[in-house]
Amino acid sequence: MLKERVIKIALILASTISILTTFGILFSILFEAISFFQLRSFWYFLTGTTWSPGVIGSQFGAVPIFAGTLMITFIAMAVALPVGLGSAIYMSEYATGRTRDYLKPVLEILAGIPTVVYGFFAAITVAPFVVKAADFFGLEATFNSALASGIVMGIMIIPVISSLSDDVIRAVPDSQRKASLGLGMTQGETIKNIVLPSALPGIISATLLGFSKAIGETMIVVMAAGLRPNLSFNPLEDMTTVTVRIVDALVGDQAFNSPETLSAFALGLALFVVTLFLNIISLMMIRKFKEKYKVNTL
Amino acid sequence: MIKRNNKHIDNPFYDPTLNGRHRKSKRFKAFTATSLIFSIAFLIFFLYDMISKGTPAFEQAYIKVDVTYNEESIENSRTAISSEYLGVVSRAWLREIPRHVEQNPSLMGQTISVWALADDQVDQYLKGHYYKLKRKDRALIDDLKAYGNVELKFNKIFFTNGDSKIPEFAGLNSAVIGSILTLIITMLFAFPIGVMTAIYLEEFADDNKFTQTIEVNINNLAAIPSILFGLLGLAIFINLFGLPRSSPLVGGLTLALMTLPIIIVSSRAALRAVPDSIRQAGYGLGLTKIEVTRDHVLPLAFPGILTGSIIGLAQAMGETAPLIIIGMIAFIPDAPSSVFHAATVMPAQLFTWSGMPERMYVEKTAAGIMVLLTILISLNSFAIYLRKKYEVKW
């Protein structure tokens, strides 16, 4: 059966493409990042507070960029976590089957909107609104505020959190709810004290996934956040993120081997390491949940 | 208060905190409902905002002017119309005059009244937006309007033209063609590889270290930020293999690697849904494993595989970040004629327009978003329709 062997080998080769891709990403980023660190200090990259590419004596200290990324990510999570989790709880615990059938597609549409569209919306509608609102309270906001891009990014992440949380909350066995209600707990208490703690590994997994999505999100911040590395705690100021700086470094006209261009790969490496770490923990949490309830649909 | 408590004094099960607990429970329910309403309200507001910003772009201002076609006007198209109109007629349209004659030689030597494309500022003025028109040009437009010689007509240019630095002349055409070429490449690579991987993992592989590594990899691949795929495309396809920058080939390959996990995961789910009895029956009749998979399992799983692939395609179609990294935001006025030529795709075109200073591009971006969302929502609805139609309960 030579033909069978050939087909089987072809199938195995196809399967290895995913592994090759992962290693391709890792190595292509790693090698360029190493050549960056041969030009500039690795420690200054991690701990330096001045990022000034394109000038004489350019410096590459990424702390303000990491800080900006974290700031926007936290704003996004502050929007996405309560709204996403709340939606998931309503859909899985309160809504009737029919309402659910209508509501779920709505959240799916939210998930299907391209990020460039969210970015345009953030830049053209939300950012001016933030400026006006800040003005109303006597504050001053820039048109590239971290707040505007953070809010829109949060809305983008709602479906990420709600759909996975919805799955895990529904996977919690009904007997637990019935036992709790039978002992005289209200429905709200049952959800808060019984269902949510049981679903916690899954919810943490969803949150981490949302977190890694926010850190890696590019178009919204490229279009709505600033370019200026800014070490500040004021969300009304402009800030920049890792992904914005990667795009900025690579759309310019500099020679490929200049530290300006190669810095994109150093930032890419940081992004890869952080998101990979978050994804692995997220996968471990969901596996823990699966083992606990022996569900295999997630 | 004492009276109220007395009412329950004989009831040994009376819990004075019960009302409060029920109120708390209700508040919690209200909170969850509010968060869901927030998502829906956002979606409605967002769609309303895009439609109200984008709809005006489907109409564009035209001016009726006398155009003289002769040797001089072909040489210098600014002489084709009366000089007072020069400030209100589109420069790009004037440049097209020699082409009009080329297409229709009988025009030569004639002076005819034509609906000419208006300048973007005239268009914005007529639509009541912010405009920059000289006073005399504005007076001219008001004058022409009184005679019905200025009109908003359906904006065909938006669909037939490529990108342009002159806002009234810019259209989506070349981006649409670029998108189609890119997605063909994406599907050509992602679909067979994805389905083959799924078949291997679901039908052939034993549970060993190798398959576990593939599994973990697929999950990780799905969660890697899209911009890193752009860095991969740049480093491997462009710098290492030397494939042409900004081309649909590189863009399609990069998107294919991104789409792969979606296709694998959904294809596996579809294959898993085919009951084992079908496989057993095939083996019982003496078929080999490959024959059973090819002739029995795969046809039954196909609708599910197709659904997942369409969803993957829709996602690839909206992706921008990796394509920016590999240079697909170059200024491309003409549609690419092959997958090796520089091209742009729809989301990248929208990104370029959104960065333009002229007010008219805002309108065009929103209109482009309406087009893109219509395509994406139709694709997704089609996938849901397929799923519903071929849904089998075994």
Side-chain angles (χ1 to χ4, degrees):
Chain A
M1 291 313 266
L2 182 72
K3 201 179 145 210
E4 304 249 320
R5 287 260 298 274
V6 171
I7 291 179
K8 199 165 170 190
I9 287 170
L11 291 178
I12 292 176
L13 284 180
S15 311
T16 50
I17 299 245
S18 69
I19 300 180
L20 289 181
T21 309
T22 312
F23 280 104
I25 290 180
L26 179 62
F27 286 122
S28 59
I29 296 173
L30 197 62
F31 287 139
E32 308 292 0
I34 287 171
S35 46
F36 173 76
F37 291 127
Q38 280 166 350
L39 296 169
R40 297 298 152 110
S41 141
F42 177 71
W43 276 114
Y44 190 76
F45 176 78
L46 278 188
T47 57
T49 55
T50 311
W51 185 276
S52 57
V55 298
I56 296 162
S58 54
Q59 284 185 302
F60 296 92
V63 170
I65 296 173
F66 295 146
T69 308
L70 272 183
M71 182 70 169
I72 292 179
T73 303
F74 274 119
I75 297 169
M77 291 313 283
V79 174
L81 194 57
V83 178
L85 198 53
S87 309
I89 293 171
Y90 187 86
M91 280 200 299
S92 50
E93 298 290 318
Y94 294 113
T96 57
R98 266 187 70 137
T99 341
R100 232 182 87 87
D101 283 348
Y102 286 111
L103 290 176
K104 220 159 179 186
V106 174
L107 287 180
E108 275 171 15
I109 293 179
L110 225 48
I113 296 176
T115 51
V116 67
V117 174
Y118 276 118
F120 178 70
F121 182 75
I124 219 84
T125 305
V126 180
F129 174 76
V130 166
V131 171
K132 264 191 210 144
D135 200 38
F136 180 79
F137 291 112
L139 298 165
E140 206 175 311
T142 63
F143 276 95
N144 290 329
S145 65
L147 191 60
S149 36
I151 290 172
V152 176
M153 198 193 269
I155 290 164
M156 183 204 84
I157 297 168
I158 290 172
V160 176
I161 293 184
S162 72
S163 78
L164 189 54
S165 303
D166 181 49
D167 284 345
V168 282
I169 291 171
R170 277 152 54 83
V172 173
D174 226 19
S175 55
Q176 293 198 1
R177 292 185 190 86
K178 294 217 168 98
S180 161
L181 291 169
L183 286 170
M185 290 243 218
T186 65
Q187 200 178 0
E189 286 164 346
T190 303
I191 294 170
K192 271 185 278 188
N193 299 331
I194 309 295
V195 179
L196 290 186
S198 297
L200 198 62
I203 291 170
I204 293 175
S205 165
T207 311
L208 292 177
L209 219 55
F211 216 87
S212 98
K213 262 248 152 77
I215 290 177
E217 170 48 37
T218 312
M219 293 319 293
I220 295 176
V221 282
V222 167
M223 293 165 85
L227 265 175
R228 183 169 67 102
N230 182 5
L231 203 54
S232 159
F233 288 105
N234 182 359
L236 298 174
E237 284 183 29
D238 59 326
M239 282 172 205
T240 197
T241 68
V242 172
T243 49
V244 172
R245 296 307 321 189
I246 292 176
V247 169
D248 189 57
L250 290 176
V251 294
D253 284 330
Q254 298 97 342
F256 191 79
N257 283 329
S258 68
E260 277 76 16
T261 310
L262 289 175
S263 70
F265 289 88
L267 290 170
L269 185 65
L271 186 62
F272 183 83
V273 170
V274 171
T275 50
L276 194 68
F277 182 67
L278 287 173
N279 295 336
I280 289 171
I281 301 179
S282 167
L283 278 176
M284 271 160 50
M285 295 309 279
I286 200 84
R287 189 169 300 156
K288 210 167 134 193
F289 178 81
K290 275 198 226 174
E291 273 166 16
K292 199 162 146 198
Y293 295 113
K294 303 265 182 293
V295 281
N296 49 17
T297 50
L298 296 177
Chain B
M1 274 323 254
I2 294 166
K3 215 174 177 182
R4 200 170 148 262
N5 275 348
N6 276 347
K7 230 165 75 180
H8 300 283
I9 204 135
D10 299 327
N11 181 355
F13 297 108
Y14 176 67
D15 173 7
T17 63
L18 192 62
N19 280 329
R21 284 169 55 206
H22 274 302
R23 269 200 300 278
K24 229 173 154 185
S25 177
K26 267 203 186 111
R27 271 205 300 276
F28 184 68
K29 184 178 177 179
F31 159 72
T32 59
T34 315
S35 44
L36 198 58
I37 290 167
F38 173 83
S39 322
I40 296 166
F42 169 80
L43 190 65
I44 293 170
F45 173 66
F46 162 78
L47 291 176
Y48 165 79
D49 190 52
M50 284 304 132
I51 291 172
S52 65
K53 284 201 170 82
T55 321
F58 291 110
E59 282 193 321
Q60 197 148 4
Y62 283 82
I63 297 172
K64 205 168 196 173
V65 287
D66 289 332
V67 182
T68 313
Y69 294 101
N70 55 28
E71 297 291 343
E72 195 195 355
S73 69
I74 288 171
E75 198 61 40
N76 174 12
S77 51
R78 287 173 66 87
T79 62
I81 57 170
S82 154
S83 62
E84 60 171 326
Y85 289 107
L86 281 175
V88 293
V89 168
S90 164
R91 277 181 298 141
W93 187 85
L94 279 178
R95 258 185 246 153
E96 293 279 294
I97 281 184
R99 254 204 23 207
H100 292 178
V101 182
E102 220 170 89
Q103 279 166 1
N104 188 358
S106 65
L107 286 172
M108 204 60 188
Q110 292 193 54
T111 299
I112 34 175
S113 186
V114 186
W115 281 104
L117 183 65
D119 190 72
D120 64 318
Q121 300 301 338
V122 174
D123 182 83
Q124 295 299 299
Y125 171 60
L126 288 175
K127 286 172 184 164
H129 296 143
Y130 174 77
Y131 61 91
K132 279 181 282 183
L133 272 182
K134 288 188 195 123
R135 188 176 294 163
K136 77 168 171 58
D137 289 339
R138 214 180 75 192
L140 179 67
I141 292 297
D142 288 335
D143 222 30
L144 287 169
K145 210 167 138 189
Y147 290 102
N149 284 342
V150 182
E151 246 179 53
L152 288 172
K153 289 171 181 275
F154 176 70
N155 188 357
K156 226 171 69 186
I157 287 172
F158 185 66
F159 297 99
T160 57
N161 274 24
D163 195 12
S164 170
K165 299 271 187 216
I166 296 170
E168 68 269 17
F169 216 57
L172 261 187
N173 179 274
S174 57
V176 170
I177 293 176
S179 271
I180 292 172
L181 287 178
T182 307
L183 291 177
I184 287 176
I185 296 283
T186 303
M187 275 298 128
L188 236 45
F189 281 86
F191 184 73
I193 294 175
V195 175
M196 280 162 81
T197 307
I199 291 174
Y200 176 72
L201 290 178
E202 212 45 52
E203 305 288 328
F204 291 91
D206 320 307
D207 190 29
N208 55 29
K209 272 265 163 336
F210 177 65
T211 44
Q212 279 167 15
T213 319
I214 295 176
E215 293 230 34
V216 172
N217 247 288
I218 290 165
N219 283 325
N220 271 329
L221 214 53
I224 286 176
S226 62
I227 190 171
L228 296 180
F229 283 91
L231 293 180
L232 168 86
L234 179 66
I236 305 248
F237 296 136
I238 295 177
N239 286 345
L240 193 66
F241 294 162
L243 297 177
R245 208 177 137 82
S246 313
S247 65
L249 182 65
V250 175
L253 287 174
T254 310
L255 291 181
L257 297 178
M258 274 186 62
T259 319
L260 215 47
I262 305 171
I263 296 182
I264 296 174
V265 169
S266 56
S267 302
R268 284 189 74 181
L271 290 168
R272 206 177 306 142
V274 177
D276 247 1
S277 54
I278 291 189
R279 295 182 187 89
Q280 311 291 359
Y283 299 143
L285 290 171
L287 297 178
T288 64
K289 201 161 193 178
I290 283 176
E291 284 166 338
V292 169
T293 309
R294 186 190 61 201
D295 299 334
H296 299 272
V297 179
L298 209 51
L300 287 170
F302 198 68
I305 293 175
L306 206 59
T307 310
S309 306
I310 293 172
I311 290 170
L313 186 76
Q315 217 167 83
M317 193 170 183
E319 196 54 65
T320 325
L323 301 182
I324 287 184
I325 299 293
I326 58 161
M328 285 188 99
I329 47 162
F331 173 66
I332 312 286
D334 295 313
S337 49
S338 87
V339 292
F340 300 104
H341 286 111
T344 190
V345 292
M346 263 194 276
Q349 180 71 79
L350 300 179
F351 174 66
T352 316
W353 281 349
S354 73
M356 295 292 214
E358 288 94 345
R359 168 67 180 71
M360 202 180 191
Y361 283 115
V362 172
E363 215 172 279
K364 294 224 162 173
T365 311
I369 285 173
M370 286 167 69
V371 174
L372 183 64
L373 282 183
T374 311
I375 298 173
L376 293 185
I377 292 174
S378 329
L379 273 178
N380 282 319
S381 315
F382 182 58
I384 292 169
Y385 164 80
L386 275 182
R387 184 160 53 196
K388 281 257 184 286
K389 190 176 170 194
Y390 291 102
E391 206 168 44
V392 199
K393 282 265 179 277
W394 300 99

